[in-house]
Amino acid sequence: MNINSTIITAFVNIINRTSNEWISLKEIYEEVHTINPNIAEETIRRTIFNHCEQSDAFIDAPYYISKEKGSGLYKFVYYDSIKIINNMTIGDIFTRDQLMSLFKISGQSGMMKTNTLNALVLTTSEESIYGDSNIENGTIQYTGEGQEGDQTITKNNKTLFYSKDNNLPVYLFTKDKKRRYIFEGRVELYDKPYQTPENDKNGKERLVWKFPLKVIYSENDMVDESIKDISYEIVEISNSIQTDDNKDIIYDESPLELRKYRKNDIDRKINRTKKPDYIAEELVKTKQGKLNEKVIYERELQKMMQLEAKEEVERMEEFFKNRNDSEGYDILSFEQQEDGSLKEIYIEVKSTKGNESTPIDITDNELEFAKKHIDQYYLYRIYNSDKKNKTLKIVTGKELVENYIFIPSSYKIYSE
């Protein structure tokens, strides 16, 4: 790494850590010395002057801007790009040109290193030749670059291999069928890369490198136990409800995806009459409930994956995939005990648009199951579910049975 590249990395590191627009020479010296303690302060200062248009010593490509002459404060010319990148949220959509411009990269590779912003950009595709290059439960077995012959730990494969050791930010995008790039989140290695046999694009067997990556969720992307807000946008729900010219309801039954609303996705419009559409409202309620269940399921699954409880993860996945309404609960999960063992627990998820005082519906089957498994049962109560900051309240089986009032509200009727 040459001296200017080291200084650029120092600027990026400081911006990522502090979000400061203007950075003092003292901060730059200190950060550069954490990367390479052998670079003299005079060399750092001279290099910045040589790449600052406001400086009398400017002789090369502009990378830095001086706040004012003699202030000792400098701004990285791509500060705005870094700010946008740091404010990206899962589900944001970009065109290829936007992505290239934002990260200062070029080319068609699925792995692109940006020296300018000191980051690695990974892309996968909904139509990828690599069958396992899909995100599941916040993880992906990402396949290295090289479509023919054995893959080697060189070039960008080497960059990704050592990315965690080098504290290199890695950003993952999925290219969809419309050739849009959807941000899946910052990722990092959670296990050692490994080799496995796989056919190349010509059907010939070769060895490829797999990189086990996990999404690094922020508070805006994932529910955390210490934060009771569910910050997933569920605007996707209303996108599934449309009316045609005859006012008939069209419901798009698409697979549930754990993604935030893609705020730039305006392909589909919502057309509603002024009168309340009760059928559409019921469909929205059902879809919203399923999405909230998926959010909680993903959170519980992440907890077990962090404990490396492989058998429990498999059981959770199997149950969630094949569950039915007669089970009496929505999610099978596990709770770690003081001795380290895992206790099986049962989670029921209930959502309402109103506040905590809004009544919720529960079936006889669900109530009987809660009573029978009172020490293993949890009600995950989500309210204000149509607002950005949804709130999660966890109720134990004992609290549910002892502290809540149950009022029969429906009847079965038979003809005489």
Side-chain angles (χ1 to χ4, degrees):
M1 184 183 296
N2 63 39
I3 293 174
N4 192 49
S5 295
T6 303
I7 296 172
I8 288 173
T9 300
F11 266 91
V12 174
N13 290 348
I14 295 170
I15 295 168
N16 286 338
R17 187 171 63 249
T18 68
S19 298
N20 291 342
E21 182 175 5
W22 298 98
I23 301 171
S24 69
L25 278 173
K26 181 181 178 181
E27 290 177 283
I28 298 165
Y29 295 155
E30 291 175 351
E31 188 66 30
V32 168
H33 287 155
T34 65
I35 303 169
N36 186 344
N38 298 319
I39 302 177
E41 290 185 359
E42 172 58 32
T43 302
I44 298 170
R45 185 167 57 251
R46 185 174 62 252
T47 303
I48 292 174
F49 290 170
N50 291 344
H51 291 278
C52 176
E53 282 186 315
Q54 292 81 11
S55 168
D56 295 336
F58 173 69
I59 58 174
D60 208 341
Y63 283 103
Y64 317 108
I65 301 169
S66 175
K67 190 169 186 179
E68 57 185 56
K69 199 166 185 177
S71 67
L73 295 174
Y74 294 88
K75 173 182 175 180
F76 185 43
V77 72
Y78 296 123
Y79 169 81
D80 291 339
S81 291
I82 296 173
K83 187 175 179 181
I84 292 171
I85 291 168
N86 288 342
N87 286 323
M88 289 190 308
T89 53
I90 293 174
D92 286 353
I93 290 180
F94 302 87
T95 65
R96 180 172 182 81
D97 288 344
Q98 288 172 336
L99 193 66
M100 301 299 105
S101 175
L102 179 61
F103 282 94
K104 314 304 173 189
I105 51 181
S106 61
Q108 299 294 322
S109 173
M111 304 171 71
M112 293 169 281
K113 174 70 162 59
T114 164
N115 293 322
T116 303
L117 300 183
N118 189 40
L120 181 64
V121 176
L122 306 179
T123 64
T124 185
S125 171
E126 292 180 356
E127 298 177 318
S128 172
I129 65 169
Y130 307 114
D132 57 357
S133 290
N134 298 307
I135 298 174
E136 295 181 0
N137 306 320
T139 65
I140 180 173
Q141 302 297 307
Y142 191 84
T143 307
E145 65 179 359
Q147 296 187 7
E148 295 182 82
D150 291 343
Q151 293 180 351
T152 58
I153 298 298
T154 55
K155 298 182 179 178
N156 286 322
N157 286 342
K158 183 178 180 180
T159 302
L160 181 55
F161 191 94
Y162 292 107
S163 59
K164 195 168 184 179
D165 295 336
N166 296 329
N167 295 314
L168 182 73
V170 182
Y171 301 88
L172 178 64
F173 294 83
T174 293
K175 182 173 71 173
D176 69 8
K177 294 177 182 178
K178 296 182 181 179
R179 305 186 70 79
R180 303 174 303 181
Y181 288 81
I182 303 151
F183 181 50
E184 301 290 0
R186 273 192 61 178
V187 294
E188 68 177 10
L189 288 164
Y190 69 88
D191 206 347
K192 292 182 180 179
Y194 59 93
Q195 285 184 293
T196 186
E198 192 174 274
N199 290 342
D200 65 13
K201 66 177 185 178
N202 301 314
K204 185 178 179 180
E205 188 174 270
R206 46 73 177 270
L207 285 175
V208 300
W209 277 97
K210 297 289 184 179
F211 298 89
L213 303 174
K214 67 178 180 180
V215 176
I216 307 170
Y217 291 105
S218 69
E219 291 180 3
N220 291 328
D221 297 323
M222 187 177 180
V223 182
D224 190 284
E225 280 191 283
S226 62
I227 300 170
K228 299 298 184 181
D229 293 333
I230 297 180
S231 56
Y232 286 102
E233 296 286 358
I234 314 292
V235 185
E236 290 172 315
I237 301 162
S238 57
N239 278 355
S240 295
I241 309 298
Q242 304 178 33
T243 57
D244 63 12
D245 294 337
N246 297 320
K247 305 298 184 293
D248 292 330
I249 298 300
I250 302 170
Y251 182 56
D252 179 16
E253 184 59 49
S254 56
L256 293 177
E257 293 182 301
L258 183 63
R259 264 189 196 142
K260 284 185 68 180
Y261 170 56
R262 297 170 182 175
K263 57 189 176 188
N264 296 326
D265 190 355
I266 55 174
D267 292 342
R268 293 192 293 175
K269 303 293 183 182
I270 305 166
N271 301 309
R272 293 286 178 84
T273 61
K274 292 183 179 179
K275 294 181 179 179
D277 194 332
Y278 297 109
I279 298 175
E281 288 178 1
E282 188 61 28
L283 289 171
V284 168
K285 180 180 176 182
T286 301
K287 189 76 170 179
Q288 189 174 46
K290 288 183 178 179
L291 283 168
N292 284 336
E293 288 174 14
K294 183 71 171 174
V295 170
I296 300 298
Y297 165 70
E298 293 283 355
R299 189 189 81 159
E300 294 295 311
L301 205 61
Q302 281 289 328
K303 285 163 56 178
M304 290 302 103
M305 292 176 71
Q306 288 170 3
L307 293 174
E308 297 184 350
K310 295 181 180 180
E311 182 180 336
E312 286 75 11
V313 166
E314 290 176 0
R315 288 182 59 193
M316 289 171 66
E317 291 176 333
E318 181 68 17
F319 176 85
F320 196 79
K321 180 180 179 181
N322 299 307
R323 65 199 171 127
N324 57 61
D325 293 337
S326 65
E327 299 287 354
Y329 63 102
D330 297 317
I331 299 165
L332 170 66
S333 189
F334 295 85
E335 194 174 68
Q336 190 172 33
Q337 306 301 291
E338 291 184 358
D339 63 359
S341 63
L342 296 173
K343 181 179 78 172
E344 191 171 293
I345 62 172
Y346 313 106
I347 298 172
E348 177 68 23
V349 182
K350 296 290 185 182
S351 306
T352 58
K353 291 183 179 180
N355 58 29
E356 188 179 359
S357 64
T358 305
I360 57 176
D361 296 325
I362 189 168
T363 66
D364 285 339
N365 182 50
E366 290 168 347
L367 181 56
E368 286 304 310
F369 186 91
K371 291 178 179 178
K372 186 176 179 181
H373 303 85
I374 196 166
D375 293 326
Q376 297 167 271
Y377 184 92
Y378 292 90
L379 172 67
Y380 278 47
R381 173 82 165 86
I382 300 169
Y383 51 94
N384 297 329
S385 63
D386 61 338
K387 295 181 172 59
K388 184 174 182 179
N389 293 322
K390 303 156 188 65
T391 304
L392 169 66
K393 180 178 181 179
I394 301 176
V395 181
T396 66
K398 186 175 181 181
E399 289 171 338
L400 176 67
V401 173
E402 294 181 356
N403 301 339
Y404 285 72
I405 301 171
F406 297 84
I407 301 174
S409 60
S410 63
Y411 300 88
K412 288 186 181 294
I413 54 176
Y414 301 87
S415 60
E416 292 183 348

